[in-house]
Amino acid sequence: MPQSFPDETITVTNMMSCMMNRISAAKAVHLLIGCLLLSPGGAAAGDILTVKRLNPDLAHELVMTAVQTCRALGYQVTSVVVGRDGAELALLRDINASRFTIQIAREKANAVILSGIASGAFRDNRRDIQQEMNHVDGVLVLQGGLPIEAAGSLLGAIGVSGAPGGEKDEACAQKALDAVEERLEFAE
């Protein structure tokens, strides 16, 4: 004989207690999971994402290595590391680097976040829109910004400014990435 409910809102718990008399516990669990996933407040697959982020200690190591590399070559530079969202994680300006190199390095890194590729490659691939992109607040499409990637994920970007030419800025950024390559390669 089926159970009846008083004139109150039928809840999942009430439904489950009624059905437990008729079906196995395993079937009830499957039914409960299905109800939760279909209910307005239930989390469905894909609602929550796991995102990899760059550790600030590693960001600091990257800017330090880039600045030291350029200094050894006789260049006074600024290096900036931004996270995957473009937020600054680390910045280091060498003693005689112009204060304007801070903005330029940051905006080169942001160009990488925007495009997902090295800022110089973005410039070369999209010369048709380079001038327009340079008007986007916080983005500068010049050589000297490189992606920081691990296990197929873009974690952030490093930008360097102050050497006499973007190719020299990029070389210092690349040396910094090379110094931590193995750690990034095996990151989970």
Side-chain angles (χ1 to χ4, degrees):
M1 178 163 165
Q3 281 184 318
S4 61
F5 297 105
D7 292 333
E8 63 183 45
T9 304
I10 298 174
T11 65
V12 172
T13 306
N14 290 342
M15 288 174 39
M16 290 305 296
S17 66
C18 175
M19 290 189 289
M20 286 299 285
N21 294 332
R22 293 195 219 152
I23 58 176
S24 72
K27 287 183 181 177
V29 169
H30 286 107
L31 181 60
L32 178 61
I33 290 171
C35 288
L36 289 174
L37 290 176
L38 294 176
S39 68
D47 284 348
I48 299 172
L49 302 174
T50 301
V51 178
K52 295 176 190 237
R53 295 208 171 263
L54 190 61
N55 183 311
D57 295 335
L58 182 60
H60 175 77
E61 187 176 332
L62 286 165
V63 296
M64 180 67 79
T65 303
V67 168
Q68 289 174 342
T69 299
C70 272
R71 184 187 297 156
L73 297 169
Y75 312 134
Q76 293 285 298
V77 301
T78 296
S79 180
V80 176
V81 169
V82 298
R84 61 184 296 124
D85 58 358
E88 194 173 289
L89 295 174
L91 178 147
L92 183 63
R93 179 175 67 97
D94 211 345
I95 192 80
N96 291 318
S98 165
R99 71 180 180 90
F100 299 104
T101 60
I102 295 170
Q103 178 182 351
I104 295 167
R106 181 184 301 118
E107 292 184 3
K108 287 179 181 183
N110 286 339
V112 173
I113 298 303
L114 172 70
S115 65
I117 60 174
S119 59
F122 183 43
R123 178 202 60 203
D124 294 342
N125 294 342
R126 296 306 312 263
R127 288 208 185 269
D128 59 324
I129 62 168
Q130 181 180 354
Q131 291 306 312
E132 291 86 351
M133 293 310 303
N134 285 333
H135 291 288
V136 175
D137 189 36
V139 174
L140 192 55
V141 185
L142 294 173
Q143 190 172 4
L146 295 174
I148 303 169
E149 298 173 313
S153 294
L154 179 65
L155 301 178
I158 182 170
V160 176
S161 176
E167 70 284 351
K168 293 174 180 70
D169 291 332
E170 185 174 300
C172 293
Q174 187 60 58
K175 283 284 193 187
L177 290 172
D178 291 345
V180 298
E181 178 181 16
E182 191 170 300
R183 289 164 53 196
L184 290 173
E185 213 170 274
F186 294 105
E188 294 182 6

